[in-house]
Amino acid sequence: MRAVIQRVTGASVTISGQEKSAIGLGLLILLGVENADTQEDVEWLVKKVSNLRIFDDENGVMNRSIIDVEGEALVVSQFTLYASYKKGNRPSWFRAGSHEHSIPLYDAFCASLSEAIGKPVGTGEFGAMMQVKLTNDGPVTICIDTKNKE
């Protein structure tokens, strides 16, 4: 799994002109799934994301997690995180997971993250054309790949 995690003061996802989800202070997570991913990847990534200390403490030091600041999360599926650009200028996504494989892992990630942070997680719609708006706070953006845990 690959995730682009952005610390935000607000974010939303809109589908066909209708706002599907919106959050205030928290994390916007763009999540990509490949066919090699398993429930173990979900569990590892949820633990990492929910405990990432990227929110400021009273001294202005990034020392608090989303749990500590009682933040919100918005998770948007993003198969393009698996773009291959080595040949030519048109990316291919042969490493991106199939719908049959990816949707259950995306849903498991969202449910597990919701449990970890103690509140509902906003979502997009898997496979839909979405417009994502965000106000990146910092900016702070972290990229994580579960295949590179070290």
Side-chain angles (χ1 to χ4, degrees):
M1 295 183 121
R2 287 186 178 161
V4 175
I5 300 149
Q6 297 177 303
R7 184 179 78 180
V8 299
T9 56
S12 65
V13 62
T14 300
I15 302 167
S16 299
Q18 298 292 316
E19 186 174 85
K20 169 110 171 43
S21 297
I23 63 167
L25 177 73
L27 299 175
L28 169 64
I29 302 162
L30 305 176
L31 183 69
V33 178
E34 68 175 325
N35 284 325
D37 290 329
T38 66
Q39 184 62 33
E40 182 180 310
D41 292 291
V42 169
E43 293 166 10
W44 183 87
L45 188 57
V46 165
K47 184 175 180 182
K48 184 60 77 174
V49 168
S50 61
N51 290 293
L52 256 177
R53 297 185 320 174
I54 59 173
F55 292 91
D56 292 347
D57 65 14
E58 62 280 352
N59 298 314
V61 176
M62 284 194 278
N63 203 26
R64 291 189 172 151
S65 70
I66 188 172
I67 297 168
D68 298 330
V69 299
E70 299 180 357
E72 298 177 282
L74 174 58
V75 182
V76 177
S77 62
Q78 184 92 35
F79 77 94
T80 60
L81 292 178
Y82 281 100
S84 175
Y85 46 83
K86 297 198 189 247
K87 253 180 140 175
N89 293 317
R90 184 175 181 192
S92 67
W93 292 277
F94 65 90
R95 285 192 56 202
S98 67
H99 277 87
E100 296 77 23
H101 181 76
S102 300
I103 291 172
L105 291 176
Y106 170 80
D107 290 342
F109 178 84
C110 293
S112 188
L113 183 61
S114 176
E115 186 176 318
I117 67 172
K119 56 180 65 175
V121 167
T123 63
E125 182 179 313
F126 199 93
M129 179 61 79
M130 298 174 272
Q131 289 73 49
V132 179
K133 292 182 182 178
L134 70 137
T135 303
N136 193 318
D137 185 28
V140 175
T141 302
I142 309 285
C143 299
I144 297 178
D145 190 319
T146 61
K147 303 303 186 252
N148 296 321
K149 294 177 183 167
E150 298 167 14

